[in-house]
Amino acid sequence: MLQYRKDNIDDSSYAYRKTVTMSIQPEGENIRKAIKWIAEEEKAGSSKSRQQLIEAACLNFNLTPMEAEYLARSYKDISNSP
């Protein structure tokens, strides 16, 4: 992920430096784990609805709002396909 860091060069001027932050997990790993978990729960015959499983997965795997929306939309597309 690319970020900008504000560095104080002297008392009156600043410079913005590009910094790259590395995470421990590859990007998208949490959503992969969430999808796998939902599939395993459904296969095991969970009494929860798919929406409840999606909400639980979002919390359990700390998904960002964008990832949560993607997950919900993906499952909606799967259930609407012939």
Side-chain angles (χ1 to χ4, degrees), residues 2-81:
L2 182 64
Q3 295 180 334
Y4 290 92
R5 185 180 75 215
K6 185 177 177 181
D7 288 337
N8 191 354
I9 295 174
D10 57 32
D11 291 338
S12 61
S13 60
Y14 293 93
Y16 289 90
R17 299 178 193 265
K18 290 182 184 178
T19 60
V20 177
T21 58
M22 301 294 287
S23 66
I24 295 173
Q25 291 191 91
E27 191 172 326
E29 186 65 23
N30 284 342
I31 199 160
R32 282 190 213 72
K33 289 179 179 180
I35 291 168
K36 183 178 178 182
W37 180 81
I38 291 170
E40 289 171 353
E41 289 292 311
E42 287 183 336
K43 188 176 180 180
S46 175
S47 61
K48 294 181 179 180
S49 69
R50 182 173 280 172
Q51 182 61 36
Q52 290 172 324
L53 290 172
I54 290 170
E55 290 171 5
C58 290
L59 294 174
N60 292 342
F61 297 98
N62 197 29
L63 299 184
T64 66
M66 187 184 310
E67 290 171 327
E69 179 63 28
Y70 174 79
L71 184 64
R73 196 172 54 243
S74 296
Y75 272 100
K76 182 180 176 187
D77 291 345
I78 289 169
S79 61
N80 289 340
S81 64

